[in-house]
Amino acid sequence: MSNPDELLVAISAAVESERSNQMALTVVVGGAVITGRLAPEAVWRERVAEVLKDSDRLGPFSDVFARGPRRGGAGHGEPPTHLHFHLARILQGSLGIPETGGMYRVAIKDVSAWTVGDLSYSDQ
């Protein structure tokens, strides 16, 4: 979408303000279907930094994520520009890649379709 969907921006802003990671969402970006749960950007960055820090080869990159955004962004009174997924999978046929879920950052303006819910999510 050339103009970000206002409802999707509002959902992302609510996730940021509530500091919740329970909002399940499925989006289509560039033809790929990504399904998972949204996390606030700060929580997402912290988790990615933790994973990278434990890697011998990727450890030096953990600081990039730990520093947080330089300017603007949802934490500074501006509307969110990205969705931050955790426990997310790219759906390919009947497979979800990776099986255990990954950490994805998606530009809201690039989302062409979306629906509430993780395709494997159940409240029951």
Side-chain angles (χ1 to χ4, degrees), residues 18-122:
E18 296 294 322
R19 312 258 325 143
S20 170
N21 63 0
Q22 296 304 304
M23 182 60 188
L25 196 70
T26 300
V27 297
V28 177
V29 179
V33 177
I34 300 173
T35 189
R37 293 200 181 182
L38 296 178
E41 181 177 1
V43 172
W44 183 88
R45 284 176 172 270
E46 181 179 306
R47 180 66 184 125
V48 172
E50 288 172 6
V51 170
L52 292 176
K53 189 188 319 182
D54 292 338
S55 169
D56 291 335
R57 294 182 316 173
L58 301 175
F61 293 98
S62 67
D63 289 342
V64 173
F65 290 89
R67 282 192 292 244
R70 287 188 187 176
R71 64 187 193 298
H76 297 88
E78 294 181 24
T81 58
H82 290 79
L83 302 170
H84 295 88
F85 285 92
H86 73 113
L87 302 175
R89 295 168 328 281
I90 297 174
L91 300 181
Q92 179 69 37
S94 62
L95 297 175
I97 306 166
E99 283 186 28
T100 57
M103 307 289 283
Y104 296 100
R105 177 177 160 112
V106 174
I108 294 173
K109 68 178 180 60
D110 294 337
V111 173
S112 59
W114 61 275
T115 188
V116 170
D118 179 330
L119 294 184
S120 65
Y121 174 74
S122 172

